């Protein structure tokens, strides 16, 4: 089989590409920088260097693939509305899929993508899902991923400087749907190789469901601070904190909006209220050593 993967050598695409290459498949990886793709091209992948905003480039790169893995790469310096940028890239990916004749797509999405708005950058992924779902004759599986464990690494400075961990996503009792990128890669690899999905469907990829208090305890214990407290911040406090850290205003506002959607439970509701269960192997305690490593290195 021949697969085309969007996402360069990122936290999901890299292990996904490695899994497919190890199974003997042909893999083409799309990225903006050839040097960044070298860890994968050294293992046998082909590099397709170009922009996800270039629909003609995507179309030619997708052509002839048995299936493609799509995602909207991070962009922390968008010109204008971040949600709209994400939605525009998503629509371009869908346009390239139909123009190239590809029939199977595994698309990385997020919890909360079922909602039309109020979820920060995930709103853009809602529109991306809709663009793919409008395609005829294309089988699409949306992998709605939980909150990446690695997002918690942004708290390293807060833990070191203030002795606390927290966010505007709720108090210590609030639950968070967590996922490890390697678990997403495993789910994507299985789906791409089997191509057993039909029509337009959704599959949740969540590794663990834990309270914020559990997160503080597990990460704190890993760094020798077992009493590390979780502090729930207001939206204003979170926005001020990100501004102080130099986060661009558009990005900061969207992250605060996403945190508020987690706090009010709307982002998690479809997963929690409809019988979905974690499928990933990597639990919170498995991630804690990674947090400790980043904490020690900072």
């Amino acid at each position: 089989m021949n697969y085309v993967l969007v996402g360069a050598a990122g936290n999901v695409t890299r292990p996904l590409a490695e899994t497919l290459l190890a199974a003997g498949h042909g893999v083409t990886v799309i990225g903006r920088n050839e040097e960044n793709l070298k860890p994968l091209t050294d293992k046998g992948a082909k590099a397709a260097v170009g922009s996800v905003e270039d629909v003609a480039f995507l179309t030619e790169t997708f052509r002839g693939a048995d299936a493609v893995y799509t995602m909207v790469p991070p962009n922390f310096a968008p010109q204008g509305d971040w949600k709209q940028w994400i939605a525009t890239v998503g629509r371009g990916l869908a346009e390239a899929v139909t123009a190239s004749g590809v029939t199977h797509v595994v698309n990385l999405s997020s919890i909360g993508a079922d909602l039309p708005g109020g979820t920060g950058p995930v709103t853009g992924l809602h529109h991306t899902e809709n663009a793919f779902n409008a395609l005829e004759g294309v089988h699409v599986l949306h992998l709605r991923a939980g909150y990446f464990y690695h997002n918690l690494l942004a708290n390293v400075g807060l833990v070191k400087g203030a002795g606390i961990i927290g966010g505007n996503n709720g108090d210590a009792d609030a639950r968070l749907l967590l996922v490890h990128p390697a678990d997403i890669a495993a789910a994507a690899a299985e789906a791409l190789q089997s191509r057993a999905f039909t029509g337009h469907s959704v599959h949740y990829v969540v590794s663990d469901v834990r309270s914020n208090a559990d997160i503080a305890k597990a990460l704190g214990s890993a760094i020798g601070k077992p009493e590390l407290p979780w502090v729930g911040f207001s939206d204003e406090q979170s926005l001020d904190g990100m501004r102080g850290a130099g986060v661009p205003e558009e990005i900061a506002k969207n992250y605060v909006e996403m945190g508020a959607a987690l706090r009010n439970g709307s982002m998690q509701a479809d997963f929690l209220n409809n019988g979905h269960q974690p499928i990933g192997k990597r639990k919170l305690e498995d991630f804690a050593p990674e947090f400790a490593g980043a904490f020690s290195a900072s």
Side-chain angles (χ1 to χ4, degrees):
M1 292 291 183
N2 290 307
Y3 300 104
V4 177
L5 315 179
V6 179
N11 288 331
V12 175
T13 304
R14 184 181 65 254
L16 171 57
E18 290 170 345
T19 297
L20 296 174
L21 288 167
H25 300 294
V27 176
T28 299
V29 186
I30 293 174
R32 293 184 65 95
N33 186 311
E34 189 167 4
E35 185 63 27
N36 291 343
L37 299 176
K38 196 171 186 302
L40 293 176
T41 56
D42 285 347
K43 296 181 179 181
K46 295 179 181 179
V49 179
S51 171
V52 293
E53 297 177 76
D54 185 342
V55 176
F57 159 73
L58 292 173
T59 300
E60 288 307 308
T61 305
F62 289 166
R63 201 179 301 279
D66 293 295
V68 300
Y69 166 78
T70 59
M71 53 92 70
V72 179
N75 178 3
F76 299 115
Q79 299 298 313
D81 189 311
W82 192 22
K83 297 185 185 76
Q84 187 57 46
W85 182 85
I86 294 169
T88 298
V89 171
R91 286 191 288 267
L93 287 165
E95 181 181 343
V97 163
T98 194
S100 67
V102 167
T103 58
H104 287 77
V105 178
V106 175
N107 175 57
L108 178 59
S109 190
S110 170
I111 60 168
D114 54 302
L115 303 173
T119 56
V122 177
T123 298
L125 298 181
H126 169 82
H127 294 300
T128 297
E129 285 196 11
N130 285 347
F132 276 112
N133 291 343
L135 302 183
E136 296 182 1
V138 180
H139 304 293
V140 182
L141 175 64
H142 300 290
L143 297 181
R144 287 187 184 163
Y147 186 86
F148 279 37
Y149 284 121
H150 292 76
N151 290 341
L152 295 168
L153 298 177
N155 283 278
V156 165
L158 181 64
V159 175
K160 283 202 166 185
I164 60 173
I165 186 172
N168 73 317
N169 60 300
D171 60 19
D173 293 329
R175 288 186 294 174
L176 195 59
L177 310 183
L178 299 160
V179 71
H180 196 287
D183 285 335
I184 302 171
E190 180 181 353
L192 286 168
Q193 291 179 98
S194 70
R195 295 193 302 169
F197 54 94
T198 58
H200 305 137
S201 56
V202 169
H203 183 59
Y204 280 95
V205 186
V206 173
S207 303
D208 210 350
V209 179
R210 303 294 286 271
S211 70
N212 288 332
D214 287 340
I215 293 171
K217 182 177 180 180
L219 302 187
S221 296
I223 59 173
K225 300 178 183 292
E227 302 303 319
L228 181 71
W230 178 278
V231 177
F233 300 139
S234 69
D235 294 344
E236 293 75 15
Q237 288 171 323
S238 287
L239 186 58
D240 287 344
M242 281 187 272
R243 285 169 173 160
V247 177
E249 184 75 9
E250 175 68 9
I251 303 299
K253 289 191 296 186
N254 272 278
Y255 274 144
V256 168
E257 182 177 280
M258 182 172 70
L262 289 167
R263 185 179 67 242
N264 67 34
S266 58
M267 282 191 71
Q268 306 97 310
D270 187 60
F271 180 92
L272 294 174
N273 296 338
N274 290 293
H276 300 288
Q277 297 294 324
I279 64 167
K281 298 178 179 179
R282 296 158 180 85
K283 304 306 179 184
L284 173 61
E285 286 74 16
D286 298 317
F287 168 72
E290 295 185 50
F291 184 89
F295 185 84
S296 298
S298 67

